[in-house]
């Protein structure tokens, strides 16, 4: 792969800060209450969810333009869960909730989402590494 853009961020753990090299991100980090923290900051799962939702929505726009399908009223919500996995560590799972307008319901929308999931860089990166479920709402 020839990189077109490289994002750079530094963090010092779940109870610290995450800062991007350009200063656009400068966030306090905290364990969520569900993991025993005070929840007074963002966490890696929220950041991953935001990035995946944005990337998937942009990929859907690219596929829509290619296929001449209007996707402007579609939206994507990513739910990223963390939990214990079989080796005693932690693992992630994702549910992508996609709201499609009426004209994209049914087979047209399903085909659009299939192509989007194949095209999206986040989907490519997660494929085979963690479960990703796509739900049409």
């Amino acid at each position: 792969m020839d990189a077109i853009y490289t994002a750079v961020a530094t963090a010092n753990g779940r109870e610290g800060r995450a800062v991007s090299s350009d200063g656009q991100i400068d966030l306090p980090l905290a364990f969520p209450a569900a993991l025993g923290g005070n929840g007074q900051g963002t966490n890696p799962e929220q950041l991953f969810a935001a990035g995946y939702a944005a990337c998937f929505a942009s990929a859907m726009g690219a596929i829509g333009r290619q296929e001449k399908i209007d996707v402007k009223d579609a939206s994507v919500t990513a739910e990223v869960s963390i939990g214990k996995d079989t080796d005693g560590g932690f693992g992630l799972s994702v549910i992508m909730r996609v709201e499609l307008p009426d004209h994209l319901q049914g087979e047209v929308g399903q085909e659009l989402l299939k192509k989007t999931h194949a095209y999206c860089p986040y989907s490519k990166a997660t494929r085979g590494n963690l479960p990703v479920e796509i739900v049409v709402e």
Side-chain angles (χ1 to χ4, degrees), residues 56-76 98-101 103-120 134 136:
F56 197 89
S58 290
M60 187 168 33
I63 297 298
R65 285 187 298 280
Q66 178 182 322
E67 303 280 324
K68 301 196 180 355
I69 299 171
D70 180 7
V71 300
K72 74 177 185 311
D73 293 327
S75 67
V76 179
V98 183
E99 291 186 42
L100 295 175
H103 72 279
L104 292 177
Q105 294 298 319
E107 191 175 319
V108 173
Q110 290 298 325
E111 187 63 24
L112 170 68
L113 293 177
K114 180 180 172 184
K115 289 178 180 178
T116 298
H117 193 43
Y119 180 80
C120 173
I134 300 174
V136 177

Side-chain angles (χ1 to χ4, degrees), residues 9-71:
T10 302
N12 57 356
R14 284 183 171 269
E15 295 184 296
R17 294 200 78 72
V19 180
S20 64
S21 61
D22 63 2
Q24 294 297 310
I25 294 174
D26 186 349
L27 300 169
L29 300 174
F31 278 95
L35 293 178
N38 66 14
Q40 299 297 307
T42 192
N43 58 68
E45 294 73 34
Q46 289 173 326
L47 296 170
F48 186 70
Y52 200 167
C55 189
F56 197 89
S58 290
M60 187 168 33
I63 297 298
R65 285 187 298 280
Q66 178 182 322
E67 303 280 324
K68 301 196 180 355
I69 299 171
D70 180 7
V71 300

Side-chain angles (χ1 to χ4, degrees), residues 30 66 95 117 127 137:
Q66 178 182 322
I95 299 174
H117 193 43
R127 193 166 292 118
E137 301 196 320

